[in-house]
Structure formats: structure tokens, C-alpha cells
Amino acid sequence: DILYSVDIGDAPVFTYGRDGYFVDLTDYFNDKEGASKNFWDRVETLLTEEQQSVVMNTIQDPDNDNHIYSVPTIETSLIDSRYYQPWINRTWLDRLGLDMPTNTQQLYDVLVAFNTKDPDGNGDPHNEIPLLGAEREPMGGQVIDWLINMFIYYHYDRKWQPDENGTLQYVYTQDAYREALKFIHKLYEEELLSNMVYTATNTEIKAIATPTAGDPMVGIFVGHLTLCTNADSTEILKQYEALPLWGKGFIERDVGCRMKAFITSDCDNPDGAFEILMLLFSEEGSMRTRYGEYGKDWTDADEGAVSDLGLPAKYKVLNDTQSTRHSANWGQYASCFNWYAEGEEAQMSDNVSEYIALKQKLHGDSYRLFAEAAKGNPEVVCPVLVATSEEKEMTDNQRTAVTDYVNRMETNFITGIGDQCDIDKDADWNTYLAKINELGFEDFQGHVQMCYDRQVNAA
């Protein structure tokens, strides 16, 4: 009757819904004071208008009068929303008498020192990894994106940016993007950026940055602390600090919204099934899903308590229900609304481990640096664009060809591997731009502009 926590991708959801395999839930969601009250109470209260737009654009079928066939999973988190989470070894800085880098040139100088001056003091000045990230990992570790953003506004989900006339500019064709690639290629060529960048996993970063035995080998690593650090290496984690951010814009990751819960057409009581899913969407359901039992795993916050991010604490975490196997929480997050899911409004109690307390403190420090850097964000950014099936079909081949090519060439320019990929040569850069045009860029750009204009005008 209910398919729960099933991620089949957005397009198949709409196809199966139109074909009648899933119950059409549109009427339920339209009944804001009845069947879907839990949903609307939380969405309209806790999300900004832009975030609400992301949610509705995600769950509504653009090819069938915006019909809805799923109860989504919505997750927001100030901690998880930061695309770039760099951490620097303060012990290494102090040992070498270096200041915290606050611009690109200083970053380069620090990385050179980490690579040549034996920062870990083991007598071997070339066994350290100055900079490490995992470009393939989605949570906080995209080191290439972080470096690009030092030169040009670069948002992972928005590769287009409107100019003062509302004309979308493609990041991959801009001169500032080329300057970013020159810098990153220099880091890669001089072995300041690890050649593991395209293959490393969070598990490998964890073992190198915070090993359970021995000293850390990384000066700066980029990644989510929960995924990239060992809970048994708290003393090593104490060596790291949040690295200040600088660049062209630090927009938070869009609110997470995935269609993962469905009522099948075989269900004899869709009203009851929808009611169950809405129960999970309540605040009580979300807290049980994420943290466990009230009074056992979490409780009310002390009066006047604040979280590590400096927000008023709404609850106190008694146990770390996320890192151990147990039945306290429900593990699979589907049909729920996880608000500040990584504990941004949580007071940490003495019952949590030293590692959890330290991790949350570091996250708090990092987010404050992020918020400061975000003051320089562009006033106008391109929203997440949602195309109809007809619009997608118009330039699908061109879009695929162009995006595949620029992604491949980014790697080639950084590594210097391949033909005509010397980023310092004007001829190679011009060949790259010409190839983009040959692949149908003009049609691709026109399609994206059409989507943008439609959504902006509708708003």
C-alpha cells in the first residue's frame, strides 16, 4: 500500500503517477486545513518563499497540471547546506610560524610550506598532503568547486548566473573561470593538491586526516566532519580549525526535497495511508525519525540554552543516535520534515561523547565564518530551473553534449592530461570555447534562458 523510502528518481515518479501506478495526491495537498495540514503547517512556517518554491517545483508534475504523486522528504540543515567545508591543521601552522590564510595567495604560500617544511615534525618534509578533498563526494568535500568559487560565483546546482540585463551567463565560458583553472592546475602540478582528488572517498580522507593510530598527514582537508573524521581520533581532530572562506558567493545548498514515499493504486484505504505519512511529517514524527525517543534520547532544552551555532536551543540531545545501531530512531528518512537536522537548534548534554561535542563546536565555528562570507553574495542569483518535458526534448542532445564536454575538459585542464588542454595557452582555451559552440551551445543557452524567463515572470 505504501512504498516508503524508495528513491526512483524524479522523472519516473511522474511517469508512474500519470500511468496510474501511484495514487494522485493532489486533492489531499490542496486540503490545507484537513488531510495535509501537518505538511503545510511546517512548510509555510519553517521555509522561506524561495525554499517553498523549490519544494513545489520538485514534487509537482510540470506536464500534468502540477499534479502530485508523492509525500516528499524535506531536509534542511545549516551544517549540511555548506558546499565547502575546509579544515586546516592549526598545529602545523603554529609549528611553522604561519598565519591563518585569508586570501588565495596566502593559501598558496601555506600549501607550499606544508609541502616543503616538515610541518608534522617527523623529519621527512615530503610525506605530507597539503590539500585533500573528495570531488566525487557530495557533502562538503568538493575541493575543486571551493577553489573555483575563489574566482567566480560558482554554485553547485546553478551553473548559470544572470547579468545586469537578466541574460544568463554560463560559468564554464567565463574568463574568471579560466583563471580559477590556472590556479588549480598550478596546485595540482606542484603536488599541493592531492592527485587523489578525483578518486578519494570520505573513508580514505577519514583514515588520512584523523587516523586512529599515528599522526595526521593532511594540512587542509575539505569535507563534512561526520563523514570525514574518526570518532576514535578526537585528540587528532583537536588539531584542526575551520578555515575562513573567501570568494564570489556562498549560497547555501538548496533545501533537500526528494520524492521517496508513495501510495500505490492497490491501496484499499488511501485516506488512512496518507494520514500515516502525514503523522510522520509532524514535528513529533520528525524528531522520532531523526533523534529517537523523547526523555531517553532527547528532551527539552534548559532555559536560556543556546546551540553550538549560537541559536536558541529547542531541545537537548542526550545520546548520539546517529552513530550507533539501535532501534531508538527509524533510520530511513522518508515522508518527513527534518528541520535543522544536524542539531543546529540542539543543546548538547554531558551524555554525548567528547568527539560529538568537539565536532559540533567546529561546525559552529565554520558556519559563523560561512555566514560572514555569505554577506558578499550576489543580490540576484539564478533559481533552480525546472523544465517541462517538451522543453527538455527541445535541446536535450545539446545540453548533454555541452555539459559532458565541459566536465571532461575541466578535469583535463586541471591535470594537464589530454590533447589541447594547456589552460595557460590561449589557443587551447579558444579551441575549447569553439568546441562548446560546435556542440550546440547557442540552442542550449536559449533553452535555459527560456526556462529562467518563464520562472522569473511567474514569480
Side-chain angles (χ1 to χ4, degrees):
D1 291 345
I2 296 177
L3 295 179
Y4 184 77
S5 195
V6 179
D7 193 349
I8 62 175
D10 293 350
V13 169
F14 297 138
T15 299
Y16 292 145
R18 290 193 296 268
D19 290 345
Y21 292 103
F22 298 150
V23 172
D24 188 339
L25 305 178
T26 309
D27 289 341
Y28 291 108
F29 280 101
N30 287 340
D31 185 11
K32 291 188 174 183
E33 293 302 318
S36 59
K37 190 174 189 307
N38 282 346
F39 175 88
W40 291 108
D41 281 350
R42 306 201 75 204
V43 166
E44 294 183 341
T45 301
L46 298 177
L47 297 184
T48 65
E49 290 186 4
E50 181 179 0
Q51 290 173 325
Q52 292 178 41
S53 177
V54 170
V55 169
M56 300 314 295
N57 282 337
T58 299
I59 67 176
Q60 292 177 322
D61 183 355
D63 293 317
N64 188 25
D65 297 325
N66 290 331
H67 281 223
I68 302 172
Y69 310 107
S70 77
V71 175
T73 301
I74 300 174
E75 187 163 2
T76 69
S77 170
L78 296 179
I79 288 175
D80 290 346
S81 68
R82 291 171 290 131
Y83 281 112
Y84 324 119
Q85 300 185 27
W87 312 94
I88 189 167
N89 194 311
R90 166 57 76 175
T91 300
W92 287 16
L93 285 176
D94 292 344
R95 184 173 288 143
L96 298 179
L98 300 172
D99 294 328
M100 180 74 74
T102 56
N103 60 51
T104 308
Q105 182 59 51
Q106 291 175 6
L107 173 66
Y108 173 78
D109 293 340
V110 164
L111 294 176
V112 170
F114 283 172
N115 196 43
T116 61
K117 296 186 176 181
D118 191 24
D120 60 4
N122 71 348
D124 184 354
H126 296 292
N127 75 324
E128 298 85 3
I129 299 175
L131 174 60
L132 176 63
E135 194 68 9
R136 62 185 288 182
E137 300 288 356
M139 193 69 74
Q142 292 159 323
V143 62
I144 299 295
D145 295 356
W146 169 56
L147 294 168
I148 291 173
N149 191 67
M150 295 176 187
F151 294 82
I152 187 170
Y153 173 78
Y154 190 82
H155 188 292
Y156 181 75
D157 293 323
R158 297 174 169 118
K159 303 302 172 62
W160 299 83
Q161 178 64 2
D163 62 17
E164 63 276 6
N165 298 316
T167 302
L168 293 182
Q169 304 298 320
Y170 197 40
V171 65
Y172 297 107
T173 62
Q174 306 303 303
D175 290 340
Y177 173 70
R178 182 188 179 190
E179 293 305 308
L181 295 187
K182 289 181 181 180
F183 179 72
I184 301 170
H185 171 64
K186 183 178 181 180
L187 299 184
Y188 188 89
E189 189 175 46
E190 296 181 16
E191 298 183 347
L192 305 179
L193 172 63
S194 171
N195 60 13
M196 297 172 59
V197 62
Y198 294 110
T199 60
T201 64
N202 287 331
T203 300
E204 289 169 326
I205 294 179
K206 181 184 298 186
I208 298 172
T210 58
T212 55
D215 296 320
M217 296 176 60
V218 181
I220 299 174
F221 72 90
V222 186
H224 194 292
L225 290 179
T226 300
L227 304 175
C228 294
T229 62
N230 275 306
D232 296 330
S233 301
T234 304
E235 291 304 312
I236 289 179
L237 184 57
K238 289 178 181 178
Q239 295 187 26
Y240 289 95
E241 290 184 7
L243 181 66
L245 298 170
W246 61 89
K248 299 299 182 180
F250 294 92
I251 307 297
E252 294 179 0
R253 184 187 300 271
D254 294 314
V255 59
C257 181
R258 302 301 300 272
M259 294 181 285
K260 298 173 65 175
F262 316 93
I263 300 174
T264 70
S265 57
D266 294 330
C267 181
D268 292 331
N269 185 6
D271 291 357
F274 190 79
E275 185 176 345
I276 290 174
L277 295 177
M278 284 295 100
L279 173 63
L280 297 177
F281 226 93
S282 68
E283 182 175 5
E284 179 182 358
S286 294
M287 289 298 291
R288 177 59 191 260
T289 300
R290 183 72 188 184
Y291 293 106
E293 298 180 33
Y294 175 77
K296 178 180 179 182
D297 300 296
W298 64 279
T299 189
D300 300 318
D302 298 337
E303 184 176 354
V306 296
S307 71
D308 289 310
L309 265 65
L311 301 177
K314 292 187 176 180
Y315 53 91
K316 180 191 290 187
V317 174
L318 301 176
N319 296 300
D320 175 25
T321 60
Q322 297 301 304
S323 300
T324 56
R325 288 187 174 275
H326 48 66
S327 59
N329 66 357
W330 299 337
Q332 295 292 330
Y333 309 139
S335 179
C336 62
F337 190 116
N338 283 313
W339 175 247
Y340 285 177
E342 285 295 329
E344 288 89 345
E345 292 183 332
Q347 174 190 0
M348 293 293 155
S349 80
D350 294 335
N351 291 358
V352 300
S353 68
E354 184 182 14
Y355 166 76
I356 295 298
L358 174 61
K359 184 185 72 170
Q360 290 301 109
K361 177 188 178 302
L362 288 173
H363 273 309
D365 295 340
S366 177
Y367 189 78
R368 282 184 282 275
L369 292 173
F370 173 90
E372 182 64 28
K375 293 178 181 178
N377 288 342
E379 292 185 6
V380 179
V381 298
C382 181
V384 175
L385 300 177
V386 181
T388 65
S389 295
E390 181 180 359
E391 289 172 341
K392 290 177 182 177
E393 291 173 0
M394 288 171 59
T395 55
D396 187 60
N397 291 335
Q398 295 92 328
R399 180 177 62 251
T400 300
V402 169
T403 54
D404 286 351
Y405 175 70
V406 298
N407 289 336
R408 182 174 71 255
M409 287 303 297
E410 179 178 287
T411 302
N412 291 353
F413 280 135
I414 289 172
T415 63
I417 299 173
D419 295 329
Q420 296 180 308
C421 63
D422 188 337
I423 191 61
D424 293 310
K425 288 184 177 180
D426 291 343
D428 287 5
W429 178 252
N430 291 333
T431 298
Y432 161 78
L433 295 178
K435 181 64 175 178
I436 290 177
N437 287 326
E438 289 176 14
L439 293 172
F441 176 73
E442 185 176 351
D443 290 340
F444 174 36
Q445 184 180 36
H447 158 255
V448 176
Q449 186 73 49
M450 181 173 60
C451 291
Y452 174 76
D453 292 341
R454 173 172 53 79
Q455 288 187 210
V456 169
N457 291 333

